[in-house]
Amino acid sequence: MSNSVFSVISRFVEEYRSSTPNKLKVIDAYLLYILLTGVFQFLYCVLVGTFPFNSFLSGFIACVGSFILAVCLRIQINPQNKRDFLTVSPERAFADFLFAHTVLHLVVVNFVG
Amino acid sequence: SHDPSENILICLFSLLVLSMVLETQALTPTHHLTTTDVARLQAVLSQPFTDLKSAYYSVVGLSKLGILVADETCQFIKSNLDPSSVESLFYAAEASQALSGCEIPVSNDTRDLLLATVSEDSTASQIHQSVSALSSLGLPLASQEVVSALKARISKEDNVLTIILALQTASRLSQQAELGDILEEIEDLAARLDDLSGVYLQFEEGLETTALFVSAAYALSDHVDMEPPLKEDQVIQLVNSIFSKKSWDSLSEAFSVASAAESLSNNRFHVPVIVSAQGPAAISHSQPFLRLQVTDVLCQPLSSASVLVESASTSSSKSAILSQAPFTLRDEVFELNFMASQPASGYYQFSVAIAGDSRFVANHVELKVKVSTRVAINNMDLSVVDKDQSTGPKTTRVEYPTKAKAPFMADSHQNFAMAFQLVDETTGVELTPHQTFVRLHNQKTGQEVVFVAEPDSKNLYKFELDTTERKTEFDSISGTYALYLMMGDATLENPILWNVADVVLKFLDEEAPSTIQAKTLYTPKPEIQHLFREPEKKPPTVVSNAFTALVLSPFLLLLILWVKLGANISNFTLSPSTFLFHIGHAAMLGLMYVYWTHLNMFQTMKYLAIIGSLTFLAGNRMLAQKAVKRYSNCFKLILLLLSFASTRMESILFRLSESFTFPYKVHYVPFTHHIEN
């Protein structure tokens, strides 16, 4: 059982390494970073306490929001999805990504207190 | 004829008790002059006069009240008379008429002057004065001329005072004159009175005008012997208005009130009747007579009246006790022995009618009469009852007003009980007064507890004291309590406070007996300290710092990964828009930090708008360039492909065209030439 799981995983990793364009790998690295940041914030909250609760919320929401926006960017940039996003060029996707981030940052900074 | 001043003195002080008189269908006066008011009116009019006008008001006013003035006034009048003034002549003439044996010398000039004033061009006041002077001085006058002058005057000036003066003037004229039109003015004027909440009827010009109207209307009506078109209710409302004011601002106002009072008590048609009870309308065995004073508006008793009780019924049950019982006149007071009908104590509604003269107005009166009685306490039995009913109750009878000799004991085993009956002293009928209280007073501590004794269905009062039940009322303080019976009611003449017995109460769980302090309701309470919300406990700085480092660590990982992936900025196009974009973007991030530390949302939005639009424009440019570059590479590729495809297509077409014969042979130039250019 574990053998098959291991082989699936290694296969997946190989596949990923070879067939994913570099651009997407950059974005994936960014996604990993965001994820880890969010996880560590949650860990703090669980272990130490929710004292300034609004700050915790705003930090966590920032991580979640950034993750989502980056995923959107990744989807829109991926050349394999070109058919689904005929009207959206990668530049347009990136511009949207930046604008959405501005709004997110505004909200987060307002809430962090 | 009786001396009115003596009557006024006899007319005893009565309350403005007409408020006690309930109004049913017909109005009864709510305001009237009492003897003190009449005396005050007299005093105002008796003030020493300074000139002829005030002399006129005083002399004529007092004569209307039936008071004779000293003859020395005649001298004063004669010396102050100005024969060239109509007004002066008027005052002198009227005043001298009121005095006995006072004659004003009249010359031909005076007469001519007075007659000349009677014309359409004089004011109504002048006409009135000249006509009155002529009439009082006994000089002849032409009534018809006066009438036409008055009518002309009325049609020119339609105000109330003019018409009142016309009425007064008309009452001095000959009865053969055509006074019909002027008489009709009374009705028109009456329509101009203001009705105030159904109680008052007065002119907006004020009290004086209303009073003058009343005296003028009745003077004229008496003169022509025709009933004035005033309804009974209107007359009463006029009475209310005129006699509601008990102190008068000016001599003329007092004079007008006096003349109105005189005309209302002496005219041929309407005489308002004032009925008031002498003292409180309360009857008891010691005071069995209900006494009523029946007077006219000048507080003069109406001796010709006969007063009758149409019906007397209890306020609650409305069963009639009396019907058609007459009052007897004694010393100008009408009295009725109501106790002879043996009424039970309580309140009674009397409906009284005053007859004897068809002129009487408001001669049906409703009165509320109280019958009080003395109460006697019968069969006061004090007993100590065993709770478990093992032994029978020990009963002691106590007679009022003695006190029981031995104290009674009430504790956890036995209750104290009290039973008694309350009866009317004379009739023996059972009574239920409003207040029957049992008061227990601890003499040592000063504590007192009051209970209510309730009657049962047989009107037997019972009170029981159970020490376990009543612990809280007594604060569980044992001791000797003096027991009092308190009784009172509006219809009882003898309220009772009777120290019946002493009761020794023993409570279980007795707290240390302390003197009772006054309940601490009104002492300052302990101060409430406001507790601010405690700030939450913060974790130690070490922990916070450690986690901060932990949270920031993935950034390092990101950088490492990016380097590994080979992310670079080699594609960085050096153009102004890219610079601007990156600077703008950095500025926006910086603004976020500043927003967190210093700014508020509005300021941030302002700056964001500026920086954001710049960044947007620059970024748009930059991305467009990038896109163009990408597309241009793409375009070149596509075009190349297209060109290949097109050459292939061309050669195929050419071959095909050879197989078929075309009418024309086209000179074919390969397409590729165009592309290469």
Side-chain angles (χ1 to χ4, degrees):
Chain A
M1 188 61 189
S2 59
N3 227 4
S4 57
V5 168
F6 184 69
S7 62
V8 164
I9 290 173
S10 59
R11 178 98 201 282
F12 169 72
V13 169
E14 262 315 307
E15 187 84 33
Y16 177 77
R17 276 224 187 104
S18 53
S19 62
T20 328
N22 231 18
K23 263 206 185 135
L24 294 185
K25 278 197 191 144
V26 164
I27 295 180
D28 289 339
Y30 175 71
L31 283 172
L32 181 68
Y33 152 66
I34 294 287
L35 184 74
L36 284 176
T37 313
V39 163
F40 288 146
Q41 280 186 57
F42 191 72
L43 204 68
Y44 171 84
C45 191
V46 162
L47 288 180
V48 184
T50 58
F51 174 57
F53 195 53
N54 58 320
S55 313
F56 159 68
L57 276 183
S58 83
F60 196 68
I61 294 292
C63 292
V64 170
S66 306
F67 191 86
I68 292 169
L69 290 172
V71 165
C72 288
L73 180 67
R74 190 186 191 282
I75 290 175
Q76 287 177 338
I77 282 183
N78 199 345
Q80 289 177 326
N81 295 339
K82 214 179 187 136
R83 265 172 299 133
D84 298 324
F85 298 103
L86 283 175
T87 53
V88 183
S89 65
E91 285 74 27
R92 173 69 197 277
F94 184 64
D96 284 343
F97 172 80
L98 286 182
F99 177 68
H101 257 285
T102 312
V103 174
L104 178 69
H105 279 130
L106 206 62
V107 170
V108 159
V109 169
N110 187 30
F111 199 52
V112 80
Chain B
S1 62
H2 51 250
D3 187 352
S5 58
E6 201 182 283
N7 279 339
I8 287 163
L9 287 170
I10 290 171
C11 194
L12 292 168
F13 191 32
S14 55
L15 317 160
L16 263 172
V17 93
L18 269 310
S19 55
M20 188 179 88
V21 175
L22 300 171
E23 295 167 8
T24 50
Q25 316 92 313
L27 278 182
T28 45
T30 50
H31 296 277
H32 65 111
L33 293 176
T34 61
T35 35
T36 39
D37 299 326
V38 175
R40 200 181 307 122
L41 184 61
Q42 199 184 324
V44 168
L45 290 169
S46 307
Q47 278 169 3
F49 29 83
T50 49
D51 60 357
L52 194 54
K53 183 172 177 178
S54 52
Y56 158 70
Y57 283 133
S58 297
V59 171
V60 180
L62 285 171
S63 75
K64 292 209 192 263
L65 291 178
I67 295 163
L68 301 166
V69 184
D71 289 335
E72 289 86 54
T73 331
C74 195
Q75 203 51 45
F76 179 84
I77 292 169
K78 283 190 199 164
S79 53
N80 284 48
L81 169 63
D82 174 13
S84 59
S85 149
V86 173
E87 192 174 342
S88 179
L89 283 164
F90 164 69
Y91 292 140
E94 294 289 296
S96 67
Q97 189 76 345
L99 294 167
S100 61
C102 189
E103 294 258 355
I104 305 286
V106 179
S107 65
N108 277 352
D109 297 325
T110 320
R111 191 192 57 196
D112 292 337
L113 171 66
L114 289 173
L115 284 170
T117 325
V118 178
S119 82
E120 282 179 19
D121 306 316
S122 321
T123 63
S125 168
Q126 284 172 324
I127 300 176
H128 166 243
Q129 284 168 347
S130 49
V131 169
S132 307
L134 282 168
S135 163
S136 299
L137 292 171
L139 298 168
L141 52 86
S143 296
Q144 209 49 47
E145 262 183 52
V146 177
V147 170
S148 48
L150 285 174
K151 280 203 245 186
R153 210 65 237 163
I154 290 173
S155 55
K156 272 193 221 160
E157 290 173 65
D158 196 24
N159 64 30
V160 171
L161 201 55
T162 310
I163 304 177
I164 290 174
L165 289 169
L167 293 174
Q168 273 288 12
T169 318
S171 67
R172 310 297 288 264
L173 300 173
S174 147
Q175 283 173 333
Q176 275 75 46
E178 290 280 324
L179 300 173
D181 293 330
I182 299 184
L183 197 63
E184 279 168 14
E185 294 293 336
I186 299 179
E187 195 165 2
D188 293 340
L189 264 191
R192 284 158 81 155
L193 287 160
D194 295 326
D195 186 328
L196 300 175
S197 55
V199 177
Y200 302 100
L201 203 61
Q202 58 193 49
F203 284 114
E204 62 178 10
E205 284 86 348
L207 172 66
E208 198 175 327
T209 316
T210 316
L212 287 173
F213 164 67
V214 166
S215 37
Y218 281 103
L220 185 56
S221 304
D222 278 355
H223 189 63
V224 300
D225 201 15
M226 279 184 67
E227 189 173 351
L230 294 168
K231 295 198 269 292
E232 274 195 27
D233 281 356
Q234 286 180 309
V235 176
I236 299 303
Q237 284 178 313
L238 286 166
V239 164
N240 286 341
S241 300
I242 296 171
F243 302 118
S244 58
K245 193 170 176 188
K246 303 306 174 83
S247 71
W248 303 277
D249 298 328
S250 63
L251 200 55
S252 57
E253 198 176 40
F255 170 76
S256 65
V257 170
S259 66
E262 192 270 334
S263 51
L264 280 172
S265 37
N266 264 339
N267 69 77
R268 281 190 222 162
F269 303 101
H270 302 140
V271 174
V273 169
I274 315 276
V275 178
S276 47
Q278 198 181 57
I283 294 174
S284 59
H285 283 287
S286 52
Q287 175 72 300
F289 286 98
L290 176 65
R291 291 201 168 86
L292 292 181
Q293 280 176 305
V294 178
T295 65
D296 59 23
V297 291
L298 269 178
C299 221
Q300 290 162 335
L302 296 169
S303 309
S304 60
S306 67
V307 183
L308 191 73
V309 178
E310 285 187 337
S311 72
S313 54
T314 49
S315 292
S316 44
S317 64
K318 308 270 188 280
S319 57
I321 308 280
L322 275 185
S323 185
Q324 308 292 328
F327 278 72
T328 46
L329 177 62
R330 198 155 67 106
D331 283 341
E332 293 174 351
V333 173
F334 290 89
E335 58 182 34
L336 172 75
N337 188 344
F338 188 43
M339 280 316 265
S341 341
Q342 293 182 332
S345 64
Y347 287 92
Y348 291 87
Q349 197 73 6
F350 271 57
S351 179
V352 177
I354 296 111
D357 196 325
S358 55
R359 297 177 300 164
F360 287 157
V361 172
N363 51 353
H364 276 89
V365 164
E366 299 278 314
L367 287 175
K368 195 167 180 180
V369 179
K370 180 172 86 171
V371 175
S372 20
T373 182
R374 294 179 63 86
V375 69
I377 308 176
N378 282 357
N379 308 336
M380 169 66 88
D381 291 325
L382 304 170
S383 46
V384 172
V385 183
D386 253 1
K387 272 205 198 154
D388 44 11
Q389 321 253 293
S390 54
T391 51
K394 292 183 280 270
T395 314
T396 316
R397 173 151 296 187
V398 191
E399 289 293 330
Y400 176 72
T402 55
K403 183 172 162 176
K405 291 190 197 54
F408 294 81
M409 179 80 84
D411 54 29
S412 49
H413 306 296
Q414 46 200 19
N415 292 346
F416 170 79
M418 194 163 89
F420 54 94
Q421 252 189 329
L422 299 173
V423 295
D424 188 326
E425 211 175 56
T426 34
T427 60
V429 171
E430 282 150 3
L431 293 177
T432 48
H434 284 160
Q435 302 171 333
T436 8
F437 299 137
V438 176
R439 172 175 171 250
L440 289 141
H441 177 66
N442 187 333
Q443 263 130 3
K444 243 193 304 193
T445 63
Q447 185 196 20
E448 85 177 4
V449 185
V450 182
F451 299 100
V452 179
E454 305 256 331
D456 63 9
S457 52
K458 293 202 221 53
N459 281 340
L460 181 71
Y461 278 86
K462 283 205 174 74
F463 169 69
E464 193 157 324
L465 182 61
D466 185 345
T467 46
T468 36
E469 262 178 42
R470 303 289 185 188
K471 222 169 29 170
T472 42
E473 274 97 335
F474 288 91
D475 278 342
S476 297
I477 297 173
S478 308
T480 311
Y481 286 80
L483 187 127
Y484 291 86
L485 178 67
M486 288 161 57
M487 201 158 12
D489 190 276
T491 55
L492 282 187
E493 284 197 316
N494 56 337
I496 288 175
L497 177 66
W498 177 22
N499 188 353
V500 184
D502 284 329
V503 181
V504 179
L505 297 176
K506 257 202 180 37
F507 293 96
L508 300 170
D509 312 326
E510 180 186 329
E511 292 139 20
S514 55
T515 48
I516 299 294
Q517 299 119 348
K519 284 215 177 131
T520 53
L521 272 179
Y522 304 108
T523 54
K525 294 252 179 6
E527 196 177 327
I528 303 172
Q529 299 289 355
H530 180 76
L531 288 171
F532 286 100
R533 190 165 148 247
E534 309 256 350
E536 288 194 25
K537 277 206 342 212
K538 285 195 260 200
T541 337
V542 180
V543 178
S544 311
N545 290 346
F547 269 98
T548 313
L550 182 65
V551 163
L552 290 174
S553 60
F555 188 64
L556 275 164
L557 176 67
L558 177 72
L559 289 175
I560 295 168
L561 279 175
W562 273 357
V563 164
K564 254 191 74 180
L565 284 170
N568 50 36
I569 50 169
S570 55
N571 243 355
F572 196 88
T573 48
L574 287 133
S575 77
S577 47
T578 40
F579 269 130
L580 214 59
F581 167 74
H582 281 107
I583 290 168
H585 192 221
M588 277 190 351
L589 291 173
L591 179 67
M592 287 297 140
Y593 174 76
V594 176
Y595 173 33
W596 183 39
T597 49
H598 296 118
L599 302 174
N600 62 32
M601 181 63 101
F602 300 106
Q603 294 164 316
T604 316
M605 291 299 280
K606 199 171 57 178
Y607 295 133
L608 195 66
I610 300 167
I611 302 174
S613 42
L614 279 170
T615 316
F616 172 72
L617 290 168
N620 204 17
R621 231 12 191 4
M622 180 195 79
L623 287 173
Q625 285 172 355
K626 271 210 151 53
V628 163
K629 250 204 351 205
R630 192 164 54 80
Y631 280 136
S632 63
N633 292 335
C634 208
F635 269 139
K636 283 189 186 146
L637 217 66
I638 288 171
L639 279 171
L640 216 57
L641 280 168
L642 258 177
S643 64
F644 274 126
S646 61
T647 46
R648 291 291 118 227
M649 288 296 291
E650 271 178 27
S651 45
I652 290 167
L653 272 170
F654 192 52
R655 300 243 167 75
L656 277 174
S657 68
E658 278 180 344
S659 11
F660 299 102
T661 41
F662 280 98
Y664 305 100
K665 271 239 166 117
V666 181
H667 178 69
Y668 184 70
V669 177
F671 189 54
T672 39
H673 289 293
H674 297 285
I675 294 172
E676 273 158 30
N677 291 343

